[in-house]
Amino acid sequence: MKILLVEDDAMIGENVEIALMDEGIQVDWARTAAEAEHRLASAGYDAVLLDLGLPGKDGLDILRDLRAHGTTTPVLVITARDTVPERVRGLNGGADDYLVKPFDLDELIARLHAVVRRSHFGEGTVYRKDEVEVNLLTRQAMVGGHQVVLSAREWAILAALLARPGAILSRSQLEERLYGWAGEIESNAVEVYVHGLRKKLGHGLIVNVRGLGYMVERA
Ligand code: CA
């Protein structure tokens, strides 16, 4: 998971960055509105953590521009403005959720995971194909009614593929999902985790599209 953090406050930004990285989440930190807009234009993020009180430009304007350009990346607004009218303005501007400062870092992470999952699936949506059943909201995988335990990296690969069944993800796109965890990524990491997933979930689930990458078929 890759997140853009937009926050001008050094101490809050640092705390959030450390907490997210501890969770294995890759973080780009933009300290100004201009930097945020530059990064949003060039990189794909799973979610944006957006502070509203930025020098020079209101975070709500960044949000509105983002939505006006058709970007559906989930945005979790972090703000000191805890009044109801501000919250309503943010929701109308296209925010997916809110956290009012000061916030608990565990709550931030939980809400972040929730908005990302909701953006990939309808809430609680389950992927079912043949014997396999995967619920990414609860992170449960079953084969023939029996629960299967997957590693965090196997989950990362599976979640990326299941976010868009029928779409082919290249090896480098899948490798990106593995960044952020501690340790080096071996050059054959994707193959290793796909192999592990196939052993646990059956060989039919993940299809190797020769020369292009991997996909799961639509349920
Ligand atoms: Ca601020």
Side-chain angles (χ1 to χ4, degrees), residues 134-199:
V134 183
N135 185 330
L136 289 204
L137 198 65
T138 59
R139 291 188 147 220
Q140 277 188 317
M142 316 263 274
V143 177
H146 297 283
Q147 194 166 336
V148 176
V149 178
L150 303 180
S151 72
R153 287 181 170 198
E154 286 170 343
W155 267 115
I157 296 284
L158 185 62
L161 291 168
L162 288 181
R164 288 192 299 148
I168 299 166
L169 293 185
S170 69
R171 205 179 74 165
S172 62
Q173 282 174 314
L174 289 171
E175 265 171 8
E176 269 182 32
R177 304 304 174 121
L178 299 174
Y179 293 141
W181 270 279
E184 290 287 305
I185 296 172
E186 304 287 335
S187 61
N188 65 342
V190 169
E191 285 82 353
V192 168
Y193 296 116
V194 166
H195 179 74
L197 285 165
R198 283 176 168 159
K199 266 174 84 174

Side-chain angles (χ1 to χ4, degrees), residues 26-211:
Q26 198 184 341
V27 184
D28 282 348
W29 179 8
R31 291 159 179 81
T32 65
E35 195 186 342
E37 288 175 332
H38 175 73
R39 286 183 180 270
L40 283 166
S42 56
Y45 293 101
D46 293 294
V48 180
L49 280 175
L50 180 64
D51 176 37
L52 293 189
L54 296 167
K57 187 162 187 173
D58 195 304
L60 277 178
D61 292 331
I62 297 177
L63 179 58
R64 263 192 292 268
D65 289 349
L66 201 61
R67 295 302 184 230
H69 286 96
T71 307
T72 56
T73 308
V75 174
L76 177 54
V77 159
I78 43 180
T79 178
R81 303 169 190 176
D82 57 348
T83 62
V84 173
E86 284 294 343
R87 291 186 196 209
V88 172
R89 278 219 299 149
L91 279 179
N92 290 340
D96 293 79
D97 200 3
Y98 270 91
L99 267 180
V100 174
K101 293 176 187 174
F103 50 80
D104 182 74
L105 287 169
D106 288 336
E107 189 182 358
L108 170 74
I109 287 160
R111 298 260 201 114
L112 188 58
H113 281 303
V115 295
V116 170
R117 282 188 209 120
R118 281 207 303 269
S119 75
H120 289 169
F121 283 85
E123 195 165 356
T125 302
V126 175
Y127 177 91
R128 279 191 198 89
K129 190 152 178 70
D130 303 326
E131 290 271 85
V132 178
E133 184 178 316
V134 183
N135 185 330
L136 289 204
L137 198 65
T138 59
R139 291 188 147 220
Q140 277 188 317
M142 316 263 274
V143 177
H146 297 283
Q147 194 166 336
V148 176
V149 178
L150 303 180
S151 72
R153 287 181 170 198
E154 286 170 343
W155 267 115
I157 296 284
L158 185 62
L161 291 168
L162 288 181
R164 288 192 299 148
I168 299 166
L169 293 185
S170 69
R171 205 179 74 165
S172 62
Q173 282 174 314
L174 289 171
E175 265 171 8
E176 269 182 32
R177 304 304 174 121
L178 299 174
Y179 293 141
W181 270 279
E184 290 287 305
I185 296 172
E186 304 287 335
S187 61
N188 65 342
V190 169
E191 285 82 353
V192 168
Y193 296 116
V194 166
H195 179 74
L197 285 165
R198 283 176 168 159
K199 266 174 84 174
K200 291 176 181 178
L201 299 172
H203 288 260
L205 181 68
I206 299 175
V207 180
N208 188 357
V209 186
R210 221 190 156 120

